[in-house]
Amino acid sequence: MSITINIWINEERYAKLQKAGLADMAEEVLAGLKVIKVPCTEEQKDKVLKVFPTAKYDSATTKSIELLPREVKDKIFDLVVEKQSIDIMDEFLKNY
Amino acid sequence: MTYIGHGGKEIVERVLEPEKAAEAIKGLTPVPIRGQIAREIIDIAYGFFTPLEGFMTRADVEGVCNEMKLANGILWPIPIVFDISTEEINEKGIKEGDKLLLTYQDKPMAILEVEEIFTYDKQEMALKVYGTTEDKHPGVARTYNYKDKFIGGKITLVNPPKINPPFDEFFFTPKQMRQKFAEKGWQRIVAHQTRNVPHTGHEWLMKGAWLSAHGELPVEKTVTGVLVNAIIGEKRKGDYIDEAIVLCHDVLRKAGYFREDVHMTSITLWDMRYAGPKEAVFHAILRSNLGLTHHMFGRDHAGVGTYYDPYDAHRIFDQFPEDALNIKPVRVLAWWYCPVCGEVTYSGLCGHKEQSQNFSGTLIRSIIQDGVKPPRLIFRPEVFDLIMECAEKYGFGSAFVTDKYLKERNPVFTLPDMKY
Ligand SMILES: [Zn+2]
């Protein structure tokens, strides 16, 4: 299982994805709530944890980076939509 | 109105009137206590822990550890002890027969009658109660943190705490709670134990438990209720903040997901031991003292890590005779979301295991953390909005406990000033 940042997709975000033709990116997890799993390499994960000290890596269960500030997740989501791709972490981390 | 509690013993309130209290504490040796002990004093003094009228003596602890019984033979699973260091005992010249003035928040709180000073092997206590000696287990760690001696003896509250908002409207003593139930005309009341803000999985657990408890009773009048009893005690970083837990449960009724006449929210002060099955029995005793008739137990009740099988807390109720408790366990499996059924449904009924989607705690926390409003089938919008509001109002921006919350939150209760 690879390392991910989970971006939760509610109706509002799903509408944005649909508009960009990216609805297929989201997989359903619970009762209509969807998720986009943005992949991170080991190095990207380390940099994320360094740049955002509140963040934690859940190595035990979900292999995801949790507790990122909300605005950061918003930015990651926007970048996914803009680049029409989930492989955006290098691009994202350039600014930090 | 009868006030018979656990073990068939009458619920006794050990609280002195103010004038008598001021007189009674004159000249007593003050001993400052920590939060856990203060909370347990409130529990003992108002009868939440009936038949206990004080902290346990060695015979009680021995009985609890070895046979899950008090010295008087009444079922009891977890030691309730007052710990103190040998240094403090020597320094203050404390001896059996003394009375001590226990102080908290620098105010007088209670009198402890020193009936017995004793030692107990903490490792043995941990192993017998928790089934492990690993200090990774939070209950074991709590046991190891006890000081080296214990004092057994009765306590008397001399300075009743003022419960602070927003908790004040949810705190009821066992006697008050029974009066409430009588006013509501409830004959059966089922407990929902919680330390969570409720998603619809919890909501359905409660609704299912209500149906089970209600059983064969007539339906024209409401005679069965759900009591949410939130455990309020020592917080750990990452827990839901207390205010969000209590207020979000209450809004389920206010917003109509439960009828006004079938649901009530309340709190009990208690520091979770995470003793799994033993804690389930303890919770049953606590709620029977509050006058409840049924107690819902879900998956992995009061468990931690992988120390207990998820249904140990169900099976333990088969280990003693039914009349050892005045409350019946309602044993339930999880509710899940099924995309085939198109609803939140009971895993013991739905045959679409392959397609089912679970309410994972980690998932729910992550959604709340991100503030992404989930579908109403997961969180009622009123609940979700209130979580966010509580985060701002009480949690310094977070729905989860942070260092700042631990340091700066408004205390759940305050001891008033007392002249003596
Ligand atoms: Zn189904």
Side-chain angles (χ1 to χ4, degrees):
Chain A
M1 207 155 77
S2 53
I3 305 166
T4 61
I5 295 175
N6 295 334
I7 309 288
W8 306 109
I9 306 298
N10 58 5
E11 279 169 28
E12 190 191 322
R13 283 182 171 172
Y14 194 64
K16 281 189 195 172
L17 284 180
Q18 273 179 320
K19 220 170 136 193
L22 303 171
D24 290 348
M25 267 185 188
E27 57 180 283
E28 174 156 338
V29 279
L30 181 60
L33 181 79
K34 298 177 176 65
V35 68
I36 289 180
K37 295 186 168 174
V38 174
C40 283
T41 63
E42 197 67 35
E43 296 73 46
Q44 289 164 343
K45 176 203 77 182
D46 292 342
K47 180 152 184 207
V48 169
L49 295 181
K50 209 171 129 199
V51 179
F52 307 105
T54 60
K56 293 261 170 346
Y57 175 53
D58 182 351
S59 58
T61 52
T62 58
K63 306 267 184 240
S64 57
I65 301 174
E66 298 294 334
L67 301 176
L68 276 169
R70 255 170 233 174
E71 320 79 70
V72 175
K73 286 232 182 160
D74 289 344
K75 276 187 197 155
I76 296 175
F77 174 72
D78 291 342
L79 197 59
V80 167
V81 175
E82 187 195 319
K83 299 285 167 193
Q84 308 206 352
S85 163
I86 52 172
D87 295 308
I88 46 94
M89 283 314 283
D90 266 337
E91 173 85 17
F92 175 77
L93 286 168
K94 260 197 271 173
N95 303 318
Y96 295 92
Chain B
M1 185 110 218
T2 58
Y3 295 109
I4 300 301
H6 179 57
K9 301 289 185 201
E10 192 175 345
I11 290 173
V12 178
E13 292 196 346
R14 299 189 56 87
V15 185
L16 276 188
E17 291 157 39
E19 314 81 62
K20 285 187 185 163
E23 197 53 41
I25 63 175
K26 269 189 192 142
L28 299 186
T29 307
V31 174
I33 55 170
R34 64 183 185 279
Q36 176 194 327
I37 301 290
R39 286 184 279 276
E40 288 168 9
I41 286 171
I42 294 170
D43 292 326
I44 295 168
Y46 287 110
F48 289 85
F49 289 180
T50 302
L52 297 190
E53 293 187 36
F55 288 99
M56 290 182 181
T57 58
R58 189 178 161 92
D60 280 331
V61 179
E62 230 161 35
V64 167
C65 288
N66 294 326
E67 296 179 80
M68 215 172 33
K69 280 177 188 166
L70 298 170
N72 61 13
I74 294 173
L75 177 72
W76 197 281
I78 292 175
I80 305 293
V81 290
F82 184 95
D83 61 313
I84 188 166
S85 68
T86 303
E87 293 80 60
E88 190 167 6
I89 289 177
N90 292 341
E91 205 177 283
K92 296 183 175 167
I94 297 167
K95 54 189 190 311
E96 289 174 4
D98 285 357
K99 283 182 179 179
L100 306 176
L101 174 62
L102 306 182
T103 65
Y104 185 61
Q105 298 172 343
D106 294 322
K107 311 265 171 60
M109 181 170 195
I111 296 169
L112 173 63
E113 297 169 25
V114 184
E115 191 183 320
E116 185 186 23
I117 300 173
F118 63 97
T119 57
Y120 206 96
D121 183 338
K122 291 193 273 186
Q123 209 158 352
E124 190 193 318
M125 195 190 286
L127 183 63
K128 294 271 172 71
V129 175
Y130 300 103
T132 174
T133 53
E134 287 179 21
D135 62 5
K136 274 200 324 231
H137 185 299
V140 173
R142 189 178 288 277
T143 305
Y144 290 171
N145 281 333
Y146 286 149
K147 291 162 212 140
D148 58 331
K149 292 239 167 76
F150 299 99
I151 295 180
K154 290 189 175 177
I155 71 100
T156 308
L157 191 64
V158 294
N159 191 14
K162 181 184 159 289
I163 309 293
N164 294 318
F167 303 104
D168 48 346
E169 54 176 307
F170 304 106
F171 180 82
F172 302 93
T173 66
K175 286 192 175 179
Q176 290 169 340
M177 191 74 95
R178 286 162 186 243
Q179 286 155 9
K180 273 268 167 206
F181 296 159
E183 281 165 30
K184 289 176 180 293
W186 289 354
Q187 296 167 23
R188 290 186 190 168
I189 306 104
V190 59
H192 175 67
Q193 141 79 27
T194 188
R195 286 176 299 119
N196 279 304
V197 298
H199 51 62
T200 51
H202 298 122
E203 183 187 317
W204 280 102
L205 276 171
M206 289 187 267
K207 288 178 170 170
W210 184 93
L211 291 167
S212 295
H214 184 78
E216 80 291 2
L217 294 180
V219 292
E220 292 89 344
K221 246 177 45 187
T222 300
V223 292
T224 303
V226 176
L227 183 83
V228 175
N229 193 225
I231 288 292
I232 305 287
E234 195 170 84
K235 301 300 282 186
R236 297 193 296 182
K237 248 170 93 173
D239 291 346
Y240 285 101
I241 59 171
D242 287 331
E243 293 84 354
I245 297 170
V246 174
L247 294 174
C248 287
H249 266 285
D250 205 47
V251 86
L252 277 181
R253 187 192 67 261
K254 286 184 169 155
Y257 299 100
F258 284 94
R259 252 164 57 169
E260 195 59 44
D261 59 347
V262 300
H263 175 281
M264 179 179 162
T265 312
S266 64
I267 60 168
T268 292
L269 304 173
W270 168 249
D271 293 10
M272 286 287 296
R273 306 298 206 263
Y274 302 92
K278 295 259 176 113
E279 185 131 359
V281 176
F282 177 78
H283 288 168
I285 291 172
L286 190 64
R287 274 82 192 221
S288 75
N289 282 328
L290 288 171
L292 285 87
T293 56
H294 292 72
H295 197 307
M296 188 252 288
F297 294 103
R299 191 180 185 282
D300 203 23
H301 186 91
V304 60
T306 52
Y307 289 103
Y308 311 107
D309 177 87
Y311 294 103
D312 276 353
H314 286 193
R315 289 189 281 265
I316 194 166
F317 289 94
D318 298 324
Q319 284 177 21
F320 40 81
E322 224 177 285
D323 62 1
L325 280 171
N326 312 324
I327 189 165
K328 284 193 172 67
V330 173
R331 299 179 240 207
V332 295
L333 300 169
W335 290 67
W336 61 35
Y337 177 77
C338 172
V340 184
C341 297
E343 62 200 9
V344 177
T345 183
Y346 186 56
S347 64
L349 291 170
C350 163
H352 306 115
K353 189 172 193 305
E354 291 286 295
Q355 294 95 330
S356 67
Q357 300 168 350
N358 288 307
F359 287 88
S360 111
T362 332
L363 170 81
I364 298 286
R365 295 171 63 89
S366 186
I367 300 171
I368 294 174
Q369 177 68 33
D370 288 6
V372 175
K373 195 168 191 164
R376 60 189 303 125
L377 274 174
I378 303 178
F379 261 110
R380 303 308 189 180
E382 295 87 345
V383 173
F384 197 78
D385 291 345
L386 188 53
I387 298 174
M388 296 301 134
E389 197 184 312
C390 286
E392 289 312 314
K393 193 166 172 193
Y394 302 107
F396 308 94
S398 167
F400 302 103
V401 172
T402 56
D403 284 325
K404 193 171 168 69
Y405 180 83
L406 287 175
K407 240 185 270 153
E408 297 177 30
R409 73 173 295 193
N410 196 30
V412 176
F413 65 87
T414 313
L415 293 178
D417 285 322
M418 186 179 169
K419 285 209 179 84
Y420 65 107

